[in-house]
């Protein structure tokens, strides 16, 4: 028997990975160059040899590294050997670009090789007419499963679930169950639970594979099964489902329809994708850029960004109008014009910090009616403490810079007021928007920065007008 050194396997895998990615984690320029040369020469054999050992995610990254024409050539030369699972690893614009260029017959053949959740992921963004044509070419059972999944709301557990699962009746023995799993070719490739159902497909319980393999064959399923906990409704939002997985450390869980019947299983690999998507979505929305992709056209991106820029323009005029109220004061003391952006900028940054933490806490449900008051008081104290600390700094600098201790005291006082307002605005505005049913990740930034600009300018210029008005009248 040949001895295999495990370190050799590790080195081999490392070599393969380094051949695909460079040190920065980007697709290797050497690989892209070889693929481009093979595509230019229409050398299908070389293309297939290069991508044969690539994981679906690696092939997806390679597709994103190529331009549009090269992607189409790659898919065309691969033909039946193209791994459709790679389409789940690219962004929506690239996926639609590729499938739009494919005949529906080829797509129908490709999705049959995928797990149902991956097939739905590809089909859901296509036109209804193309969807219907592709589904019509699938076997009856698979067509019904996919159509049912596509009928669930977008971003729901029903869209993410895998409709292939292992389910057995309670009166079977463990031996019968094991034989069934060995002999049935329609079972999923990977699973961690066996579901126990009645004739109407109502979920009775579950058995983890590790428990199933440790008992005698004669044991009955109903004697080994445990209560099915944390089953998820198919209509539940995918983000809520991900939170359940995180809270209870699940690997998979049952998905039930409105009649409490088992219709699918949600697995941890899909939930990881959901967590990543939701985190990216929150970050993008905090910047007011929606769900744009790097592959989107410049016109698409411009249209998606313009609405919130328009709102920001309106709020900028509001801030400017506050400055306009004190134009006489600014004319009398030019130093105010030099210093007032500092107050607004510090307040805006402090508000953004609080707002980011609050929006994430809302998304993860770490803040609720029970702890909101405590968190608000904490943020107010933080704002007050930071305000006093930076008030001393900026007050001393401004007083020394303009040789005016009174001006230093005014900007210090304005800093305390605005930092407190920033802390309160950063937490109260997202909470209020969430309470009103709006997405705080989208709308908070514009309103929070407006609050800090308006209060910062008004506090600084108002205090200066009041104080120096009395002093120099």
């Amino acid at each position: 028997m040949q001895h295999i050194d495990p370190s050799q396997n590790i080195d081999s895998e490392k070599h393969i990975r380094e051949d695909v990615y460079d040190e920065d984690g980007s697709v290797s320029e050497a690989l892209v160059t070889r693929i481009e040369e093979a595509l230019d020469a229409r050398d299908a054999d070389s293309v297939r040899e290069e991508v044969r050992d690539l994981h679906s995610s690696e092939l997806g990254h390679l597709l994103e590294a190529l331009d549009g024409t090269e992607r189409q050539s790659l898919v065309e030369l691969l033909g039946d050997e193209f791994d459709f699972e790679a389409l789940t690893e690219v962004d929506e614009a690239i996926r639609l670009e590729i499938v739009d260029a494919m005949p529906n017959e080829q797509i129908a053949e490709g999705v049959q090789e995928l797990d149902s959740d991956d097939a739905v992921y590809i089909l859901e963004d296509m036109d209804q007419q193309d969807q219907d044509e592709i589904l019509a070419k699938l076997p009856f059972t698979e067509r019904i499963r996919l159509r049912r999944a596509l009928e669930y709301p977008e971003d729901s557990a029903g869209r993410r679930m895998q409709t292939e699962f292992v389910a057995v009746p309670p009166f079977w023995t463990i031996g019968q169950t094991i034989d069934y799993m060995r002999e049935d070719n329609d079972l999923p490739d990977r699973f961690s639970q066996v579901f126990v159902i009645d004739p109407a497909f109502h979920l009775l319980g579950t058995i983890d594979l590790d428990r199933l393999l440790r008992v005698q064959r004669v044991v009955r399923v109903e004697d080994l099964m445990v209560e099915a906990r944390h089953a998820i409704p198919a209509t539940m939002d995918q983000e809520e489902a991900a939170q359940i997985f995180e809270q209870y450390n699940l690997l998979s869980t049952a998905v039930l329809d409105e009649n409490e019947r088992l219709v699918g299983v949600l697995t941890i690999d899909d939930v990881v994708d959901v967590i990543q998507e939701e985190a990216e979505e929150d970050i993008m929305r905090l910047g007011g850029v929606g769900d744009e992709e790097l592959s989107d056209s410049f016109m698409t991106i411009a249209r998606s960004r313009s609405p919130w820029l328009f709102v920001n323009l309106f709020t900028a005029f509001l801030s400017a109008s506050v400055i306009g109220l004190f134009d006489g004061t600014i004319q009398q003391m030019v130093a105010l014009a030099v210093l007032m952006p500092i107050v607004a900028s510090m307040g805006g940054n402090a508000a953004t910090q609080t707002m980011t933490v609050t929006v994430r806490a809302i998304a993860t449900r770490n803040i609720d009616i029970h702890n909101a008051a405590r968190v608000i008081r904490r943020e107010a104290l933080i704002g007050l403490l930071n305000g006093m600390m930076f008030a001393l700094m900026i007050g001393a600098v401004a007083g020394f810079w303009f040789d005016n201790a009174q001006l230093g005291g005014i900007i210090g006082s304005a800093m305390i007021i605005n930092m407190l307002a920033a802390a309160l605005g950063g937490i109260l505005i997202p909470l209020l928007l969430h309470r009103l049913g709006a997405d705080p990740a989208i709308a908070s930034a514009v309103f929070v920065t407006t609050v800090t600009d308006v209060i910062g300018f008004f506090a600084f210029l108002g205090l200066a007008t009041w104080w120096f008005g009395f002093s120099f009248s």
Side-chain angles (χ1 to χ4, degrees), residues 326-352:
F326 300 97
D327 58 346
T329 303
I330 296 172
Q331 290 175 14
Q332 293 177 33
M333 185 173 286
V334 178
L336 299 177
V338 176
L339 294 173
M340 66 182 185
I342 298 175
V343 179
S345 176
M346 289 294 293
N349 287 330
T352 299

Side-chain angles (χ1 to χ4, degrees), residues 178 407 459:
I178 292 174
L407 183 59

Side-chain angles (χ1 to χ4, degrees), residues 11 16 153 260 263 352 424:
D11 291 341
I16 292 173
E260 300 294 316
V263 292
T352 299
L424 292 175

Side-chain angles (χ1 to χ4, degrees), residues 47 155 183 273 279 287 437 458:
V47 171
D155 295 332
E183 297 168 3
D273 291 337
F458 193 86

Side-chain angles (χ1 to χ4, degrees), residues 176-314:
Q176 288 176 289
T177 303
I178 292 174
D179 292 340
Y180 165 63
M181 290 189 294
R182 286 173 175 167
E183 297 168 3
D184 196 304
N185 295 325
D186 293 330
L187 298 182
D189 294 332
R190 296 178 299 275
F191 57 92
S192 61
Q193 282 184 314
V194 174
F195 299 106
V196 185
I197 56 173
D198 66 13
F201 265 74
H202 293 119
L203 184 62
L204 302 177
T206 64
I207 305 176
D208 292 332
L209 283 183
D210 59 333
R211 292 194 65 202
L212 184 145
L213 295 175
R214 291 172 179 170
V215 299
Q216 299 296 320
R217 289 177 59 89
V218 295
V219 175
R220 291 168 63 90
V221 165
E222 60 187 351
D223 295 330
L224 187 63
M225 74 179 187
V226 296
E227 180 184 355
R229 297 179 179 178
H230 317 306
I232 292 175
T235 54
M236 177 182 283
D237 185 87
Q238 62 179 14
E239 189 170 7
E240 295 182 44
Q243 289 167 353
I244 292 175
F245 267 73
E246 180 182 11
Q247 181 176 355
Y248 297 106
N249 298 321
L250 304 178
L251 292 177
S252 64
T253 192
V255 180
L256 309 180
D257 67 9
E258 63 277 7
N259 296 314
E260 300 294 316
R261 292 177 303 190
L262 181 64
V263 292
V265 57
L266 196 61
T267 56
I268 187 62
D269 60 319
D270 295 313
V271 171
V272 169
D273 291 337
V274 169
I275 293 172
Q276 182 176 354
E277 285 179 14
E278 295 293 343
E280 290 177 353
E281 183 179 282
D282 286 344
I283 293 172
M284 299 285 277
R285 287 183 171 180
L286 279 172
V289 294
D291 58 354
E292 69 181 50
E293 304 281 359
L294 287 177
S295 58
D296 289 342
S297 68
F298 73 93
M299 285 299 297
T300 301
I301 294 175
R303 282 196 301 269
S304 72
R305 295 184 185 182
S306 58
W308 283 108
L309 289 176
F310 177 79
V311 174
N312 192 69
L313 177 63
F314 172 77

Side-chain angles (χ1 to χ4, degrees), residues 339-409:
L339 294 173
M340 66 182 185
I342 298 175
V343 179
S345 176
M346 289 294 293
N349 287 330
T352 299
Q353 290 175 335
T354 305
M355 178 193 67
T356 302
V357 172
T358 303
V359 169
R360 191 60 193 151
I362 291 172
T364 57
R365 297 186 177 182
N366 288 328
I367 187 169
D368 54 33
I369 191 172
H370 303 292
N371 64 359
R374 177 176 59 82
V375 176
I376 291 171
R377 287 195 300 271
R378 185 197 68 181
E379 292 298 331
L381 288 173
I382 293 172
L384 193 60
L385 179 62
N386 282 335
M388 290 188 292
M389 180 174 62
F390 286 102
L392 291 173
M393 294 182 189
I394 188 62
V397 172
F400 178 78
W401 186 1
F402 294 99
D403 194 22
N404 189 330
Q406 298 176 76
L407 183 59

